[in-house]
């Protein structure tokens, strides 16, 4: 199972979430999240990666002003299925 990720802009908030998850028996750690195009190292957010269920992390994210990252980095979202389009124009009036 892929780790669940949460993003925080405050290091103390991220470390508080990790402490809580570890106290509850889950594996968790903090990483610095590097954003594309961001030059200032002080502006990079903090990512919490854990093996906890997403709903557990979602509750902590709400308490500590972060957000849940639904996608893994570098992987595109699931594409939508192709549309069922007509092969010819639809006639509205009878000849």
């Amino acid at each position: 199972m892929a780790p669940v990720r949460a993003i925080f802009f405050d290091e103390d908030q991220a470390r508080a979430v990790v402490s809580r998850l570890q106290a509850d028996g889950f594996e968790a750690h903090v990483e610095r999240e590097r954003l594309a195009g961001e030059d200032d190292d002080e502006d990079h957010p903090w990512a919490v990666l854990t093996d906890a269920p997403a709903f557990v992390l979602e509750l902590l994210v709400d308490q500590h002003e972060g957000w849940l990252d639904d996608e893994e980095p570098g992987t595109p979202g699931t594409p939508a299925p192709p549309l069922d389009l007509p092969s010819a124009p639809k006639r509205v009036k009878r000849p």
Side-chain angles (χ1 to χ4, degrees):
M1 183 169 104
V4 182
R5 292 169 32 101
I7 308 296
F8 300 89
F9 278 104
D10 184 30
E11 180 182 10
D12 294 334
Q13 298 285 356
R15 297 213 182 273
V17 169
V18 167
S19 295
R20 174 63 190 267
L21 289 168
Q22 289 174 341
D24 290 342
F26 298 108
E27 299 264 339
H29 68 276
V30 176
E31 294 180 352
R32 199 66 193 256
E33 185 73 17
R34 304 283 181 215
L35 298 177
E38 191 65 49
D39 293 333
D40 188 6
D41 282 343
E42 296 301 315
D43 288 337
H44 292 298
W46 298 87
V48 173
L49 287 95
T50 182
D51 64 347
F55 71 89
V56 172
L57 189 56
E58 188 173 358
L59 292 173
L60 292 171
V61 161
D62 289 342
Q63 293 174 359
H64 294 279
E65 300 176 10
W67 74 88
L68 200 57
D69 188 14
D70 293 337
E71 293 184 16
E72 288 187 33
T75 59
T78 307
L83 297 175
D84 184 24
L85 299 174
S87 59
K90 186 175 181 181
R91 294 195 72 110
V92 229
K93 297 182 179 180
R94 295 185 185 236

